[in-house]
Amino acid sequence: MERAEVERYRLALFGRMVMGVAHEVDNQLSVVLGFSELIQLAAGKEQKVRDGAGKILSAGEKIGAIVHQFSLHVRPHSPSPEPFVPGELIPGILLFSRYDLGRENVIVRPPPEIPQGILHADRRDFGLALLALLFNAAEAMSETGGELSMRVSIDAAGWEFTVSDQGPGIPAGIGEKVFEVGFTTRPGPLHTGMGLPIARHLAGQAGGTLQLANGTGGGCVATIRMPLKARA
């Protein structure tokens, strides 16, 4: 048996355990938050104590948000299109993924602004498609580092979500091959060649498209375009 198979099994097994771990963390976190609030109430005029308890409470709430968002997106489900606000979805997925995205000297640049509006799609599937593009971009810069940036816009034609990196770009001759299941240019069990095919499939299911192109200044630009109205 090759070592890659061992690592794939490890990832699959720990993926099954994630929900249980998140549940246990949430239980312990409720204790931290509860006692932080009690300390604030009991501190009276002791401002340093109140401030310290406030910092604990704030950190605990951030941990809770990360666990909640991660648990929401990792849970298997049947697709169920619904109207949702991208401006509420994107900060959440960036929150729980920023550590992994920011490895190897990769700097993550969130969207400078996210327009107000409604997108009609399965919220978690769309989040998975965006995550696939974000991780693909981060992995492209794993040897050199660089900036990973995301932009969101909307006009009469629909929504546009772009993820740009400063990696080597798409090699000549494999523009469409990167969307074939299992195709990858990077060795190792983490690189399964599934991210881009899944992202395009999920975008297509919601009536959208996914395209890749080399950036004018280098790197790669991945663009998901989504219609304003729900797919009939």
Side-chain angles (χ1 to χ4, degrees):
M1 178 182 294
E2 294 184 4
R3 182 64 192 180
E5 295 299 322
V6 176
E7 296 304 329
R8 288 192 186 95
Y9 175 73
R10 186 199 309 277
L11 291 172
L13 181 61
F14 277 86
R16 289 178 55 186
M17 296 169 61
V18 162
M19 294 305 299
V21 172
H23 177 73
E24 293 302 323
V25 170
D26 199 47
N27 284 342
Q28 301 305 318
L29 191 58
S30 65
V31 177
V32 174
L33 294 176
F35 277 95
S36 297
E37 292 178 344
L38 286 176
I39 292 171
Q40 280 190 315
L41 292 173
K45 297 181 179 180
E46 295 292 334
Q47 191 60 42
K48 288 186 177 180
V49 177
R50 291 175 58 84
D51 289 346
K55 290 179 180 179
I56 296 172
L57 188 60
S58 176
E61 289 172 344
K62 288 179 181 177
I63 294 171
I66 292 170
V67 170
H68 172 73
Q69 287 293 327
F70 187 77
S71 300
L72 175 67
H73 286 277
V74 78
R75 185 182 297 116
H77 72 290
S78 298
S80 179
E82 60 179 337
F84 66 90
V85 180
E88 296 175 355
L89 171 75
I90 292 172
I93 64 175
L94 289 175
L95 178 66
F96 72 75
S97 64
R98 65 179 180 178
Y99 172 79
D100 283 290
L101 291 175
R103 293 181 179 181
E104 309 297 340
N105 295 317
V106 172
I107 300 172
V108 181
R109 302 293 188 194
E113 61 178 346
I114 303 176
Q116 296 293 320
I118 301 295
L119 178 60
H120 296 266
D122 182 279
R123 181 195 302 258
R124 284 183 282 173
D125 279 358
F126 186 72
L128 180 60
L130 289 181
L131 280 169
L133 299 186
L134 289 166
F135 275 99
N136 185 73
E139 289 165 5
M141 297 183 286
S142 60
E143 296 182 2
T144 60
E147 289 192 2
L148 187 169
S149 60
M150 184 177 183
R151 292 187 176 273
V152 183
S153 62
I154 186 172
D155 58 22
W159 287 90
E160 185 171 284
F161 303 83
T162 63
V163 175
S164 305
D165 64 59
Q166 295 180 330
I170 308 169
I174 65 168
E176 281 298 309
K177 197 172 181 64
V178 296
F179 291 110
E180 294 180 6
V181 174
F183 177 80
T184 179
T185 59
R186 306 182 190 98
L190 292 176
H191 305 129
T192 60
M194 295 297 292
L196 291 176
I198 286 176
R200 173 175 273 191
H201 169 72
L202 294 176
Q205 274 197 327
T209 62
L210 167 60
Q211 294 180 326
L212 296 186
N214 286 324
T216 54
C220 177
V221 180
T223 305
I224 290 181
R225 293 183 177 88
M226 299 289 291
L228 289 178
K229 294 184 178 180
R231 187 173 189 175

